[in-house]
Amino acid sequence: MTQQEVRLCGLLLQEHFGEVVEKVAVHLLRTGAQTLRGIAQETSTPLDLVKKSLCVLAQHGMCEFRRGRRGPAGAVEYLATSERILRILRYPRYIYTAKTLYGDTGELIVEEVLQRGHMTMSGSVKTVADRLTHNMEEGRSMDYSEVVTAFSKLVETHFIQRCPPVADVGAAPPAAGPGAQAAPAAPPSPADSHPERYTLPHVKLTGRGKRRHPSEESEGEQRGAKRAKMDTSESSGDTGIYWQVNFDRFHQHFRDQAIVSAVASKLDQTSSEIVRTMLRMSEVTTTPTAACTQPLSANEIFRALPPSYSITRPVLEQYLSLLVDDPMEFVGKSGESGGGMYVVNLHKALATLSRATLESVVQERFGSRSARIFRLLLRKRHLEQKQVEDFAMIPAKEAKDMLYTLLSENLVQLQEIPKTPDHAPSRTFYLYTVNPLPTARLLLQHCYKAVGNLMERRQYETKENKRLLEKSQRIEAILASLQASGAEPSQLTEVEEMITAPERQQLQALRHHVNKLDSSENQVDETIFLLESYINSTQTSR
């Protein structure tokens, strides 16, 4: 756990759950497992607030609880999971992916489950149906069956899964504290120990979504309505069966999309469509940590290709041969039966994408000539300084400066190979090399720091213009209520003029800056995802 990760976790928790939850979680990240009273004493936080904070963290799967080190009779210990907290950064991408694949209904289902940590199927269906109905025209409403269909598709494709029972994670007895009641948010157990995680319960749901009444607009009444909706799960037949977002499945989809995009940019659209078909055929049967997909025969790939791509069998074989012979090695051949057995080399693909990311970072920071040296060391493994100058065709003085700059930034390593035991410099080879795994870890920490800086800048911009933003929100609320009541255009214009021209210009500039910061966060997160995937893939393939 590095300082940059702890800092980013604290910023994410403060933005989404408040300062108290952030204080408790950051303390757990820095100190490790702690008892309830230990957390309260060391953070100088009232016991009641610590309990509520732990409940929030456990609800969202960001905190584990387990038997104490003194055995069954000891106090329960709580442990924060940084990996799960950092997933908050990727929430918009999860929601957008669900919208792309399953429309507005899938988007709202994933959004509701992410916001609450875990939900029952009936509670999710009713909440999403009400939200969709509220945005429809007067007289129209969303049927529960349509939302159930979208929920079922998300489960069938493993984007949503059941929360494991308490017994599966070795949790403490119920009397241990508030965290023990948050069993549905415990981390998922392996598939063999939790075989029903993709089994849909028999839910009795009939009806349509309801519109919110004007009297329910206050925050307190909305909370009461939500609690009432959650209580209806008892009559729907899925009491105690909670569902959570399967982050590994989303990450698998992101990885597949990155591989398909890389093939399209390197070769052509037809090649990328063939790789996409292979990934789609094995997306459910391939585990997230597998080094390659399940072998697929050329016959199976040919039958699974979309009808819009009028590819004949001989042309498909030519494309598969081209993909196998390509230096990227995204596709490999594993046998000759069924017209040839082919796999997608997931680990090699992630290594290639990660290496391209490292090269682009070096080029952006130090220029194209430094990137040429870096790329050369990646391919040749070990080179002396004179060899670097010759192969890269760069003057000796410039090559020396670039190598030392990369060495000082820990992007290049220097390896000494002595000819004699005395390590005399005149009888020692000095070889420059690039170790991709430590370099990827280093760049990952830089990315965490960059996202933290972007979040702090966005919070600063919002705080500096807090008064103007509050005024704009009040006026927008007044305009919405006037439009709902059928006010005249002159009244609407009068309310709009309450914001002066300079204020309107300042608001526009602020929104532009905040949007740029948000977009930058998402772009850095894409780099973080690639580097994390490569590091995890390298560790599991060893």
Side-chain angles (χ1 to χ4, degrees), residues 467-482:
R467 184 197 62 81
L468 184 59
L469 288 170
E470 289 176 349
K471 180 180 178 181
S472 173
Q473 289 172 357
R474 285 196 304 270
I475 291 173
E476 287 176 0
I478 293 170
L479 284 171
S481 61
L482 287 175

Side-chain angles (χ1 to χ4, degrees), residues 2 30 49 87 92 94 99 130 181 183 244 263 287 289 324 377 408 411 432 441 445 451 498 506 533 535:
T2 63
R30 286 178 175 158
L49 288 179
R87 294 294 166 263
Y94 299 142
K99 180 181 177 69
D130 289 352
Q181 299 174 3
Q244 62 187 2
V263 173
T287 59
T289 57
V324 170
L377 291 173
S408 66
L411 295 169
Y432 289 93
R441 288 198 180 103
Q445 297 305 315
V451 174
M498 293 171 65
Q506 187 179 350
S533 300
I535 292 168

